[in-house]
Amino acid sequence: MSAPSDPDDELQAVFGPRSGAAQPESVPINEALDDPAPPPAQSALIPPPARVALQRLLARGVLLARSHREEFGQLMACRDAIALILGSMGLSMQLHEDYGLAVLMRNEDAETAEGEEEGDDSDDDEGGLSLVRTSRLKLLHSLVLMALRLHYRERERAGDEQVIIDLDSLKDRLEPYWPLLHAEGRSDKHFNGAVRKLQDHGILLRVRGKEDQRLVSPVIVLALDSERLEIMVTEYSRLAGVEPQQNGA
């Protein structure tokens, strides 16, 4: 006949050892499960300087080598790794080496997934957010943009590395198209407002010490491509009854 069990032993079996009782030596969970030690943290995909350049591109949407040469070089050097990072967010980076221009774009498949409709420029919901700020241009703004694009093409063909335009010269280029505008639209106030509008979009940049001049940014090549430029020149010239300024004359 076996001896009766100790009630304390039965309680210990159910609830564990009593407080103060000797505890078994703990064993690390990875050792108990015979798992290897966790791997060390992987290094970043891109070095810190490239990370700063990418952050600047994400913040602005456009990065120019002219004003941020080191950052542009970092984007060029790490383009493959950056493509992976941006791709995971449905984004991509377009590098235009000839113009020293990096542009952040949203992938077409991401736009389709978000259910965007062509021509919908609403920014009230997440699907309507734009990475590069856009807006509809008034007629005067469009005419100024067209004149600038013609001037940019003319100076680019002449071999200019930087395209600078005098504001009075820009206004003279618009004179044939004044009949398309109401009288108030031809005023200096409205003209200066159109210049500021294009400065806000990075198409025009100030020239240090030259208040009457502006640098035409390579961004204008993306804002108005050659095909659309030809359409604008032909149509506005027809409406104004003037010869098309195909050569920027």
Side-chain angles (χ1 to χ4, degrees):
M1 184 175 181
S2 60
S5 59
D6 187 343
D8 286 345
D9 292 340
E10 294 179 358
L11 290 174
Q12 180 174 326
V14 176
F15 297 105
R18 290 170 296 173
S19 176
Q23 302 290 332
E25 185 177 353
S26 61
V27 179
I29 185 68
N30 62 328
E31 181 178 337
L33 299 177
D34 197 27
D35 283 345
Q42 294 183 351
S43 59
L45 286 175
I46 57 178
R51 208 175 311 153
V52 172
L54 178 57
Q55 290 169 352
R56 188 181 296 275
L57 178 63
L58 287 168
R60 299 190 177 188
V62 176
L63 190 143
L64 293 173
R66 173 184 174 272
S67 52
H68 299 92
R69 185 166 300 279
E70 183 177 348
E71 287 91 339
F72 186 80
Q74 291 293 336
L75 295 179
M76 290 281 295
C78 300
R79 63 170 71 189
D80 293 338
I82 289 175
L84 293 175
I85 296 172
L86 293 177
S88 66
M89 299 186 289
L91 307 174
S92 61
M93 176 180 66
Q94 289 189 1
L95 287 172
H96 301 266
E97 299 180 45
D98 293 343
Y99 295 108
L101 181 64
V103 183
L104 187 66
M105 304 294 291
R106 183 160 38 192
N107 294 338
E108 291 182 1
D109 55 346
E111 292 179 358
T112 303
E114 290 171 0
E116 291 186 345
E117 296 181 0
E118 184 177 358
D120 183 13
D121 59 351
S122 172
D123 59 359
D124 294 335
D125 53 29
E126 186 177 353
L129 293 177
S130 176
L131 296 168
V132 179
R133 188 158 46 90
T134 62
S135 65
R136 296 185 181 276
L137 295 180
K138 296 179 180 179
L139 177 57
L140 177 58
H141 300 157
S142 297
L143 290 172
V144 173
L145 180 65
M146 180 186 73
L148 286 171
R149 183 66 175 90
L150 287 169
H151 177 70
Y152 189 92
R153 183 173 67 179
E154 176 187 347
R155 300 318 309 164
E156 186 180 34
R157 289 175 176 175
D160 291 0
E161 293 186 1
Q162 293 187 355
V163 177
I164 295 177
I165 191 168
D166 183 88
L167 293 182
D168 287 337
S169 175
L170 173 59
K171 197 168 185 179
D172 289 342
R173 286 174 174 267
L174 298 176
E175 189 172 353
Y177 302 98
W178 285 150
L180 301 179
L181 300 168
H182 297 296
E184 61 271 16
R186 310 171 197 175
S187 67
D188 289 342
K189 176 182 177 181
H190 286 81
F191 173 76
N192 293 334
V195 170
R196 286 194 299 271
K197 179 83 168 181
L198 297 184
Q199 287 178 188
D200 290 342
H201 285 271
I203 292 172
L204 286 176
L205 304 174
R206 289 186 174 274
V207 178
R208 183 174 299 179
K210 301 287 185 179
E211 287 299 321
D212 59 340
Q213 293 182 349
R214 295 294 184 273
L215 177 71
V216 187
S217 165
V219 175
I220 197 170
V221 177
L222 301 180
L224 185 58
D225 59 37
S226 296
E227 182 178 353
R228 284 187 293 174
L229 174 65
E230 299 299 337
I231 294 173
M232 288 178 65
V233 169
T234 300
E235 187 63 18
Y236 286 146
S237 298
R238 182 186 67 82
L239 293 173
V242 299
E243 288 295 322
Q245 299 183 29
Q246 298 292 346
N247 296 322

